């Protein structure tokens, strides 16, 4: 379905590391990076209860995905959950965080 993916909303790992070293408060704001370093546990925590944690992250007003004031539809959410439920998909998504350092 996808031949190329270019992510524009994530910092380059070296930029992130340099910034964090100069601004220690960023460590707290990015604590999820450290949680995602654990093997297997983040995948388990994000997928239990039919991906309840991801559903909350995707739909929350503070962390959710919005488009010009329009939030995810039930169909959008189902598409995201279907994608991350595929074998290896959640690990692939978390590998960005695992490779930052």
């Amino acid at each position: 379905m996808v031949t190329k993916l270019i992510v524009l909303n994530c910092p380059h790992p070296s930029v992130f590391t340099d910034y964090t070293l100069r601004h220690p408060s960023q460590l707290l704001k990015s604590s999820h990076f450290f949680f995602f370093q654990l093997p297997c546990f983040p995948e388990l925590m994000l997928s239990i209860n039919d991906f309840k944690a991801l559903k909350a992250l995707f739909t929350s007003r503070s962390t959710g995905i919005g488009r010009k004031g329009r939030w995810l539809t039930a169909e959008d959410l189902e598409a995201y959950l279907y994608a991350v439920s595929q074998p290896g998909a959640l690990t692939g998504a978390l590998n960005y965080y695992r490779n930052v350092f």
Side-chain angles (χ1 to χ4, degrees):
M1 291 172 108
V2 177
T3 54
K4 291 183 181 183
L5 172 66
I6 300 170
V7 179
L8 299 176
N9 63 340
C10 295
H12 188 277
S14 64
V15 172
F16 173 77
T17 303
D18 290 345
Y19 184 85
T20 302
L21 291 173
R22 287 180 311 193
H23 301 89
S25 65
Q26 184 62 45
L27 284 174
L28 183 58
K29 295 174 187 173
S30 302
S31 60
H32 60 287
F33 276 66
F34 301 104
F35 173 66
F36 294 152
Q37 299 307 306
L38 299 170
C40 302
F41 189 64
E43 285 90 338
L44 174 67
M45 296 307 294
L46 292 172
S47 64
I48 59 174
N49 293 329
D50 194 29
F51 295 91
K52 184 177 180 179
L54 279 181
K55 287 177 187 176
L57 283 170
F58 287 162
T59 59
S60 162
R61 289 289 178 194
S62 60
T63 62
I65 301 171
R67 296 180 306 244
K68 296 182 182 176
R70 212 176 112 227
W71 297 94
L72 287 179
T73 65
E75 293 81 20
D76 292 337
L77 180 60
E78 190 62 34
Y80 276 107
L81 295 176
Y82 175 78
V84 298
S85 71
Q86 300 308 300
L90 197 49
T91 298
L94 294 173
N95 278 345
Y96 167 79
Y97 297 97
R98 291 179 173 143
N99 289 299
V100 161
F101 302 108

